[in-house]
Amino acid sequence: MANNTHTHSSTLSATKVKRKSSAQQIREDLTGYAFVAPMVLGLFVFTLFPIIASFFLSFTDWNFVAGFSKVKFLGLDNFIKLFKDTVFLSSLKNNMILMIVVPLTLIFSLVLAVLIDKKIYLKDFFKVVYFIPYISNVVAVAIVFQVLFHPTYGPINQILMNMGFANPPKWLADPDVALYCVMGLMIWISIGYNMIIFMAGLQSIPKDLYEAADIDGASKFKQFMSITVPLLSPTTFFLLVTGIIGTFKVFDVISVLTGGGPANSTSVVVYRLYETAFINLQSGYASAMAIVLVVLVLLITLVQWIGQRKWVNY
């Protein structure tokens, strides 16, 4: 009888503990949901909902000023029109050319990171100097570049003319050169950020590997190619993906520096989308551009993700 009573008491105690544990788990879960709710809500309101809305609007003819009562369904007409739009196709081509900025920036940044990471004087000073363009106001930087590359009164052309060049380049005023000026500015801005990320990656490489390579007689270049580059491949992959996505999102530099000109030679998809939606008030057509841009970025990222299996060493 005593054993039965003891067993019954143990069962009740275990049940109470289990209930208490379950209640505590529920409270902890609710607390966790409460903390992540603002982030999830913001993600839905400012990211997922606009993407979904753009998808549906891309099949319509709509002006956001007129209101939703004026929405007119067009089917695939916007997409058909899009691939006959010479300005959009030119903008898309410019975006593809701007992708060259990423590998060039990675090369310059990696070389600088390796040089500055060595035992040199004023290491912290050089870090700050190269990082300043990245944290500087893009609008201010673009205006400075406008002054520097002014075709007539710019300091660069004044120097070239003083050196004997009778007809120096028109830079931002020349449709054949303007995009390369934009690329130069983008590289200059991004080098500091990439360099700092590479320097962080360099700290994780064991020094023993370099010591062993020295003992084996490997040159510094051989160590760089056989140790530094492979072990930094995860960092390089991260910067490559984010950099290419960044080139498709570029807007502020184009808007301030060239306004898409001259003759749409520096127009990119995001700037063309802005003009279409907020200047020409063709929201449906602009939404079609946004969908094409999203799909293109996803495809390029997917290709990079598949390709990284062959060259990224974790």
Side-chain angles (χ1 to χ4, degrees):
M1 184 69 178
N3 288 336
N4 290 337
T5 304
H6 179 70
T7 302
H8 182 65
S9 300
S10 299
T11 303
L12 288 174
S13 299
T15 303
K16 290 179 180 178
V17 170
K18 187 175 181 180
R19 288 177 178 173
K20 184 178 180 180
S21 176
S22 298
Q24 183 179 0
Q25 184 64 45
I26 291 172
R27 285 197 299 271
E28 290 179 356
D29 291 344
L30 291 175
T31 302
Y33 291 141
F35 276 109
V36 301
M39 183 64 184
V40 173
L41 184 62
L43 177 66
F44 179 80
V45 172
F46 297 110
T47 304
L48 295 180
F49 177 74
I51 291 175
I52 295 170
S54 294
F55 176 76
F56 287 108
L57 288 174
S58 65
F59 300 102
T60 67
D61 177 17
W62 180 57
N63 175 356
F64 70 91
V65 176
F68 286 103
S69 61
K70 301 295 183 180
V71 174
K72 180 182 177 183
F73 183 75
L74 295 178
L76 296 174
D77 288 358
N78 280 334
F79 293 95
I80 295 171
K81 178 183 175 183
L82 202 59
F83 290 99
K84 296 179 181 179
D85 186 342
T86 56
V87 177
F88 173 77
L89 294 176
S90 175
S91 301
L92 194 59
K93 184 188 75 172
N94 290 339
N95 267 121
M96 295 299 181
I97 295 174
L98 286 179
M99 288 172 61
I100 300 173
V101 165
V102 181
L104 291 176
T105 304
L106 291 178
I107 292 170
F108 293 141
S109 301
L110 179 56
V111 172
L112 285 172
V114 172
L115 292 176
I116 294 177
D117 191 57
K118 301 297 181 182
K119 303 295 182 180
I120 64 172
Y121 293 106
L122 302 175
K123 180 186 296 187
D124 294 334
F125 170 75
F126 285 111
K127 289 180 184 178
V128 172
V129 167
Y130 283 107
F131 196 66
I132 282 177
Y134 181 76
I135 60 176
S136 299
N137 187 290
V138 175
V139 175
V141 172
I143 291 174
V144 170
F145 262 68
Q146 274 186 330
V147 174
L148 289 174
F149 287 101
H150 192 280
T152 305
Y153 306 107
I156 293 177
N157 275 2
Q158 290 293 324
I159 293 172
L160 291 176
M161 285 188 287
N162 290 335
M163 292 174 60
F165 290 90
N167 296 304
K170 299 299 181 183
W171 303 116
L172 296 173
D174 186 346
D176 297 325
V177 179
L179 187 63
Y180 299 105
C181 295
V182 173
M183 292 170 66
L185 174 57
M186 291 174 63
I187 292 173
W188 184 71
I189 290 175
S190 303
I191 278 180
Y193 170 77
N194 288 358
M195 184 192 73
I196 294 297
I197 300 298
F198 272 132
M199 292 186 73
L202 288 171
Q203 305 307 313
S204 64
I205 300 178
K207 303 301 180 186
D208 298 345
L209 297 176
Y210 294 105
E211 293 173 0
D214 279 329
I215 294 172
D216 291 339
S219 65
K220 293 299 181 183
F221 180 76
K222 183 67 175 178
Q223 292 178 30
F224 175 76
M225 296 303 297
S226 301
I227 298 175
T228 306
V229 172
L231 293 183
L232 279 180
S233 56
T235 305
T236 305
F237 177 65
F238 165 75
L239 292 174
L240 182 65
V241 173
T242 55
I244 288 180
I245 293 174
T247 61
F248 279 93
K249 297 193 302 180
V250 64
F251 171 79
D252 44 8
V253 171
I254 300 296
S255 179
V256 178
L257 192 61
T258 64
N264 296 313
S265 61
T266 60
S267 179
V268 291
V269 174
V270 174
Y271 186 79
R272 177 61 178 162
L273 190 155
Y274 160 76
E275 285 185 322
T276 303
F278 299 103
I279 297 178
N280 300 331
L281 301 178
Q282 298 175 327
S283 303
Y285 191 43
S287 296
M289 293 182 186
I291 296 302
V292 170
L293 182 62
V294 168
V295 172
L296 184 61
V297 170
L298 285 176
L299 287 176
I300 292 175
T301 304
L302 181 62
V303 170
Q304 293 178 89
W305 191 261
I306 294 173
Q308 59 96 20
R309 298 174 185 172
K310 297 183 178 180
W311 64 273
V312 177
N313 302 297
Y314 291 104

